[in-house]
Each structure stands twice: as structure tokens, then as C-alpha cells.
Amino acid sequence: MPPSPPVTYRGRFAPTPSGPLHFGSLVAALGSYLEARSRGGEWLLRMEDVDGPRTVPGAAADILRTLEAFGFQWDGPVLYQSQRLDAYGVALERLVAAGLAYPCGCSRKEVQAAGGGLSVDGAPRYDGRCRRGLAPGRRPRAWRLAVPDRYYGIQDGLLGDLGHDLGLAVGDFVLRRADGQYAYQLAVVVDDAFQGINRVVRGADLVDSTPRQLYLQDCLGYPRPAYVHLPVVTNARGEKLSKQTRARGLDRERPLPTLWQAWAFLGQEAPREEGGSLADFWAWSLAHWDLARVPAVRGRYWPDGMA
């Protein structure tokens, strides 16, 4: 029997179109792109627009124009989560049929008032009261995944051992919200499997989501990708750059200086001169990218990224 062909590296960048790309987004895109391309792999692009209320009209197209202006080239068509709702519904039905997902009749206020403490990401931790069935007179609002009191973790390619006891740190988490929107955790797991993603390089702000995604992958019989969590860019108060912290959008007219700043933020060796063309930047960066040089921290203040 002939040997199996090597598995092609398949990475992805998956921005949420809630506003323009900013410096923090660029850092994540650059790290994931260089890690894929330097290994001869594919780099796919996904718009995580599954959360309708957060999606800003026109933001997805603006993100694509910005990535193109900065010289990024992706493989295949862009995947839009808003066009994948049927796939998430099928996955939820599988979990329900397996006895792993259940309807929950509790409101957010009721979950908070129950006194279950806070989950690892700061949200009220659900105490699982609807797991054995809805109380009389209660109607289902959301659908939740029943999670075990078991450690789920990974050996991150940059940060080392990462994980937590899923039941204690998170509790039964939402798969479909009361407003009918599918949760990010379900959508990202379904789409990573659908696209054949085997290496996830993303910001460390998503570290605490990883154990939930590992468990969902196990529940659905999906393979686990390898993970690398890059440091996120923070402001002077230690807050992640985001729309909420008024991060400025990238200037498409001057991509080169910003790319060099992102390169420096990721701890990479700079050439003697950072001039040249956009093509020069990509040639240098692909030849000199070294994941081992990236600072192994979850967040890093970078004042040049605020400009």
C-alpha cells in the first residue's frame, strides 16, 4: 500500500465584520499568513458574520479591500458564516440527538441571579438547572451544551500548556441564543472542520474559547487542529484593541509602514532598512519569519499601533 500523501497545511484568518481592520487585526492576519505561507500551506479567509446584530453593513467588503491593499492573497472563495446557518442547524440537531444539547428556559438575569459565579471569560456561569428538563410552564429560550467536569487543554505552539476544567470554568454554554442566533463556538468548530483547517493561528484573546471548541470537536467527531495563540495588541490600560476601545482603522494608502510595525510587534528581525516596496516586504518576511521569536505573552502594549 503506497504511503499517504502529506497533509497540506491549511490555516485561516477569520475576522468579524463589526468594523474596519485595525492594527490588532493586522497582527493576527500577518502571523497566521506567514506561518501558513512559510510552510508552503494554504491560507483561507472566513467572515465570521454569524452574529447578525454585531455585523456592520459594508464592513466585510471594506476588510477585503484592506487585505488586498496590504498584499494578502488568500486561497479559494471567502466563506461567509451568514450563509452557513443550515450547517450549524444540522450540527445542533446531531448534538441534541446524542443527548448532549438541551433547551434552556433561563434568561440572562436569571442565570446571573442564580449565583453560579463567573465563567473564565467573565460571563455569569450557568448552573445547569435545565439540564434535566424544563420546569413546568417554562418555554425553551436557548440551547446549551452539557459539559463534563473534565480538563480540556492543548499544547499551544507558542504559549505551551493551555486549558481548564470545562465544567468548573465555563459550565454548560450556549449553542443557539434566545434570539435564534447561533453561537460563535458552534459556528467556528463546524467551519474549521468544513474547510479542513488543521492549524489555527489567532489572537490570545481566544485562548479561553479553545477548551469549549475542543469539546465540541470531540462531540461532533471532528479532528482537532493544532493551535498557536499570538499576543494581542493592547492600549495603555491593558485593553485589547477593538471597536469598543476605539481602535483606528488601517490606512490603505500607506500599508508598508504599518506592516513593518506589525512585523516588529511579532518580535521578528528587521532588515537594515525597512523601505522598499510591498513586494519587498513580503519577500523578506516570508524568508525570515520565525515563530520562535514571537513573544510568548497573551497581551502586549505597542504604542506605535495606536497611531
Side-chain angles (χ1 to χ4, degrees), residues 102 126-128 131 144-148 166-167 170-174:
Y102 63 90
Y126 185 63
D127 61 3
R131 192 190 279 199
R144 293 182 180 271
L145 185 69
V147 303
L166 200 57
V170 177
D172 295 354
F173 58 91
V174 171

Side-chain angles (χ1 to χ4, degrees), residues 91-92 94-95 100 186 189-190 215-222:
L92 178 57
R94 286 180 56 193
L95 295 169
L100 297 170
L186 179 64
V189 165
V190 171
Y215 181 55
L216 266 172
Q217 289 158 4
D218 288 353
C219 291
L220 291 166
Y222 296 157

Side-chain angles (χ1 to χ4, degrees), residues 14-20 22 48-60 63 81 177 179 181-185 205-206 240-244:
T16 299
S18 57
H22 51 72
E48 295 196 334
D49 58 349
V50 69
D51 191 341
R54 288 189 62 201
T55 300
V56 174
I63 288 171
Q81 288 188 330
R177 301 189 324 223
D179 62 2
Q181 301 282 321
Y182 287 101
Y184 159 78
Q185 306 295 353
D205 54 313
L206 292 168
K240 171 196 166 186
L241 289 194
S242 67
K243 182 180 177 182
Q244 288 71 31

Side-chain angles (χ1 to χ4, degrees), residues 184-205:
Y184 159 78
Q185 306 295 353
L186 179 64
V188 71
V189 165
V190 171
D191 288 339
D192 279 345
F194 175 73
Q195 293 186 288
I197 302 301
N198 52 32
R199 180 90 161 178
V200 175
V201 180
R202 62 187 183 185
D205 54 313

Side-chain angles (χ1 to χ4, degrees), residues 16-236:
T16 299
S18 57
L21 285 184
H22 51 72
F23 184 72
S25 312
L26 178 64
V27 165
L30 182 62
S32 66
Y33 187 85
L34 292 175
E35 185 67 3
R37 295 304 195 209
S38 66
R39 294 172 179 265
E42 297 174 317
W43 191 72
L44 283 67
L45 188 59
R46 178 194 310 156
M47 287 293 167
E48 295 196 334
D49 58 349
V50 69
D51 191 341
R54 288 189 62 201
T55 300
V56 174
D62 183 78
I63 288 171
L64 295 180
R65 288 194 297 270
T66 300
L67 289 172
E68 289 173 340
F70 275 68
F72 289 92
Q73 298 177 345
W74 52 89
D75 295 294
V78 180
L79 187 74
Y80 291 84
Q81 288 188 330
S82 58
Q83 300 173 6
R84 300 262 305 147
L85 302 184
D86 288 347
Y88 311 144
V90 169
L92 178 57
E93 289 173 1
R94 286 180 56 193
L95 295 169
V96 173
L100 297 170
Y102 63 90
C104 174
C106 301
S107 68
R108 182 173 297 185
K109 288 183 179 179
E110 288 171 330
V111 173
Q112 190 168 8
L118 297 179
S119 67
V120 69
D121 53 9
R125 181 183 173 277
Y126 185 63
D127 61 3
R129 62 179 57 193
C130 294
R131 192 190 279 199
R132 289 180 293 276
L134 294 173
R138 302 284 286 184
R139 299 182 64 182
R141 293 172 54 85
W143 285 85
R144 293 182 180 271
L145 185 69
V147 303
D149 290 330
R150 187 190 311 163
Y151 179 84
Y152 273 82
I154 54 167
Q155 192 65 29
D156 185 86
L158 186 62
L159 299 177
D161 184 35
L162 295 174
H164 50 243
D165 184 301
L166 200 57
L168 295 177
V170 177
D172 295 354
F173 58 91
V174 171
L175 300 174
R176 193 174 71 188
R177 301 189 324 223
D179 62 2
Q181 301 282 321
Y182 287 101
Y184 159 78
Q185 306 295 353
L186 179 64
V188 71
V189 165
V190 171
D191 288 339
D192 279 345
F194 175 73
Q195 293 186 288
I197 302 301
N198 52 32
R199 180 90 161 178
V200 175
V201 180
R202 62 187 183 185
D205 54 313
L206 292 168
V207 161
D208 292 331
S209 287
T210 305
R212 277 168 276 190
Q213 293 167 17
L214 297 176
Y215 181 55
L216 266 172
Q217 289 158 4
D218 288 353
C219 291
L220 291 166
Y222 296 157
R224 289 186 177 184
Y227 288 87
V228 175
H229 287 91
L230 304 172
V232 298
V233 186
T234 67
N235 60 24

